[in-house]
Amino acid sequence: MDTDQTNPNKRKKTDSSTDTDLQTTEKEAPSSFSPKKTGSTYRFMCPGQGVFQCASTGLVFTMEKEAELQYKTVKWDEALLQSAGKVAAGPLFDIQCPEEAVCQVRLPHGESKEGLLVDGGLSVVNITDDGMSFLEPLEITDTHVVVKVSHPSAFGLVWDFFKRFLGNSLPINGAVLLFVRPLTIRKKVLYVFLEPENVDNDKLTYQQDGAAKVKASSKCLLSFGQNYSVHCEAEDFQIQPEHEQFHISYGPNYFPSFEVFLPTNQEEVTLTVQDQDRREVWRCDVFLEGSRRETLPNIVPAEDRLPIGDQAPAEDRVPIGDRVSAEERLFSARTEFIKRVSDPVLDHLIDGLLQDGVINDEQRQSFRTKARADKAADVIDSVRGKGAEALIASLSEADPWLCRALNLK
């Protein structure tokens, strides 16, 4: 097997059996499959020995025999990673299958070509009931990290923070993901997510209630800790925030990096993402046809509202419990509410609070004269001790996606 001498992360074991395994893995192209999904768990019955790639997650399994695979993404223990000087480099996959059914797993990574040259920057974590251990990769390709599997458990990729990010700004392979949703009769909002390329797309998409995913070229290079801004070529638009720092996150909750407010009849727009030095890192002509709604009875049309019972999987939600008051829930969500709530939704909330007698007309006029963030802070603080339920109910009607994301419903 040829070895790439320019890439110190590409490893080859000296053990002859492992060499044979690697040669087999390299020569045999994986068969793609679409798994069945129940809740947050993927399932696939492998017909026998061979190499199989999941079309949803990018995982590749080298099978020794016929067996059913069950796997899902689970939450990282950030405190545990930080204590080891590590940062998540991909989703954490909990893989379950019969013993000795899987001999290798290839985990999709989002590392750039430059980043692959950092010796020891990328590695594999194995988490079991006994704790966390680090596994030496059998090989690191341009797209995957190959690791030997001895028993079913949780596997994930991590970066060594000090080797990979401290003192340098080498980018990772990133993605610009777009979702569009009607907001008012005159406005719609385009959510812009800056994410690692190997993010859990299924989970991120699932959380965008009432929003349609926009098909667009997504690949770009993003640098950890750098500030980015979004720019739009349209006549009537608003973007918030002005800039956002890129942090690598693999859930379980995903929030848009930017919100672009456009006229409802806007069907095409050119978007660009620039870094803090105003260099263009992504540009795309985005087509929004099909997202227009002819009539909007409320802030969000009825067909886009989240049905009762259509909730995120239990393991992805923070339990609020019957004993947690509406005021306490609002207080815990205050920071994200101020950061994420839009101006049109705030105006809807203010009118609702006035109608319910929570605020008076003088307060209403005062709120409307302020900048968006200050207005949001005043609105949420005005219901401390009274009106919390009214605010949550109004937010659930105006922006069910945000209400659910903040765990208020």
Side-chain angles (χ1 to χ4, degrees):
M1 182 184 70
D2 294 335
T3 303
D4 187 348
Q5 299 296 331
T6 65
N7 188 344
N9 273 324
K10 285 195 175 181
R11 298 179 176 87
K12 172 182 165 183
K13 298 284 188 179
T14 56
D15 181 87
S16 59
S17 64
T18 304
D19 285 345
T20 302
D21 289 343
L22 276 178
Q23 290 169 6
T24 301
T25 299
E26 288 180 339
K27 291 179 181 178
E28 187 174 355
S31 300
S32 179
F33 67 88
S34 297
K36 294 181 179 179
K37 193 173 184 184
T38 305
S40 60
T41 300
Y42 298 95
R43 287 181 168 83
F44 177 67
M45 176 60 74
C46 292
Q49 190 176 41
V51 183
F52 304 89
Q53 181 166 18
C54 173
S56 296
T57 64
L59 283 172
V60 180
F61 303 91
T62 302
M63 305 296 297
E64 291 284 11
K65 60 183 181 181
E66 177 182 345
E68 183 185 46
L69 291 169
Q70 295 186 26
Y71 50 99
K72 61 183 178 180
T73 58
V74 294
K75 185 179 179 180
W76 282 102
D77 186 337
E78 297 292 346
L80 188 63
L81 291 181
Q82 290 175 9
S83 67
K86 305 294 183 181
V87 176
L92 179 62
F93 294 98
D94 180 17
I95 301 172
Q96 300 299 321
C97 62
E99 291 285 347
E100 301 181 353
V102 180
C103 62
Q104 288 182 8
V105 171
R106 302 185 212 175
L107 303 166
H109 69 72
E111 185 58 281
S112 63
K113 292 182 179 179
E114 296 87 348
L116 287 174
L117 298 176
V118 178
D119 191 15
L122 194 61
S123 59
V124 180
V125 159
N126 181 215
I127 298 178
T128 66
D129 292 339
D130 296 327
M132 181 175 71
S133 60
F134 295 91
L135 306 179
E136 184 179 2
L138 297 175
E139 184 186 19
I140 300 179
T141 71
D142 289 341
T143 58
H144 287 77
V145 177
V146 186
V147 65
K148 185 176 180 180
V149 175
S150 57
H151 56 271
S153 51
F155 298 87
L157 297 178
V158 294
W159 280 297
D160 184 301
F161 178 79
F162 300 100
K163 292 181 179 179
R164 178 60 179 83
F165 298 109
L166 199 62
N168 68 64
S169 59
L170 293 176
I172 68 166
N173 290 328
V176 180
L177 305 176
L178 306 173
F179 296 83
V180 65
R181 180 168 66 79
L183 193 60
T184 68
I185 293 175
R186 294 180 297 275
K187 290 285 186 180
K188 61 186 172 187
V189 59
L190 182 64
Y191 298 117
V192 182
F193 291 79
L194 301 186
E195 300 290 345
E197 183 182 45
N198 61 339
V199 72
D200 186 342
N201 265 289
D202 278 2
K203 190 167 289 186
L204 187 153
T205 300
Y206 179 84
Q207 293 179 6
Q208 312 317 309
D209 299 326
K213 190 171 185 179
V214 178
K215 293 182 179 180
S217 173
S218 63
K219 292 186 176 181
C220 65
L221 293 174
L222 299 171
S223 294
F224 176 83
Q226 183 155 160
N227 284 318
Y228 290 90
S229 58
V230 167
H231 303 268
C232 177
E233 295 181 10
E235 292 184 2
D236 180 17
F237 71 92
Q238 176 189 355
I239 297 175
Q240 64 182 31
E242 291 184 6
H243 54 80
E244 181 78 357
Q245 193 174 61
F246 176 64
H247 291 289
I248 299 168
S249 173
Y250 290 95
N253 296 317
Y254 298 92
F255 297 98
S257 303
F258 299 92
E259 295 169 320
V260 182
F261 300 93
L262 297 163
T264 301
N265 61 1
Q266 185 84 36
E267 296 185 351
E268 179 181 352
V269 67
T270 299
L271 287 182
T272 60
V273 176
Q274 295 181 3
D275 65 16
Q276 58 197 30
D277 296 320
R278 296 188 176 181
R279 293 174 297 197
E280 190 175 285
V281 300
W282 179 84
R283 181 183 181 89
C284 188
D285 293 325
V286 180
F287 298 92
L288 304 172
E289 69 273 15
S291 66
R292 184 175 178 177
R293 299 289 193 273
E294 295 302 326
T295 58
L296 296 173
N298 288 302
I299 295 297
V300 179
E303 66 269 20
D304 281 349
R305 294 177 190 166
L306 187 66
I308 295 174
D310 187 9
Q311 301 295 324
E315 60 268 34
D316 297 338
R317 302 198 306 268
V318 179
I320 58 177
D322 294 336
R323 297 182 181 179
V324 180
S325 68
E327 183 181 348
E328 289 172 317
R329 278 181 275 151
L330 275 176
F331 182 75
S332 66
R334 185 180 185 275
T335 300
E336 285 297 332
F337 174 86
I338 293 171
K339 183 178 181 182
R340 300 298 178 185
V341 69
S342 66
D343 249 329
V345 170
L346 279 172
D347 289 341
H348 176 85
L349 298 179
I350 291 169
D351 289 341
L353 292 175
L354 178 66
Q355 184 176 349
D356 292 336
V358 179
I359 62 174
N360 57 40
D361 193 61
E362 184 179 349
Q363 288 175 295
R364 173 180 176 271
Q365 296 297 333
S366 174
F367 291 166
R368 287 186 178 276
T369 62
K370 297 185 178 181
R372 188 205 61 83
D374 292 335
K375 185 194 300 185
D378 283 352
V379 166
I380 197 169
D381 290 342
S382 70
V383 299
R384 299 279 292 276
K386 65 171 185 176
E389 289 284 3
L391 180 60
I392 292 175
S394 186
L395 180 62
S396 179
E397 178 185 74
D399 195 337
W401 175 87
L402 180 60
C403 193
R404 180 165 167 259
L406 296 179
N407 201 27
L408 294 175
K409 277 289 187 181

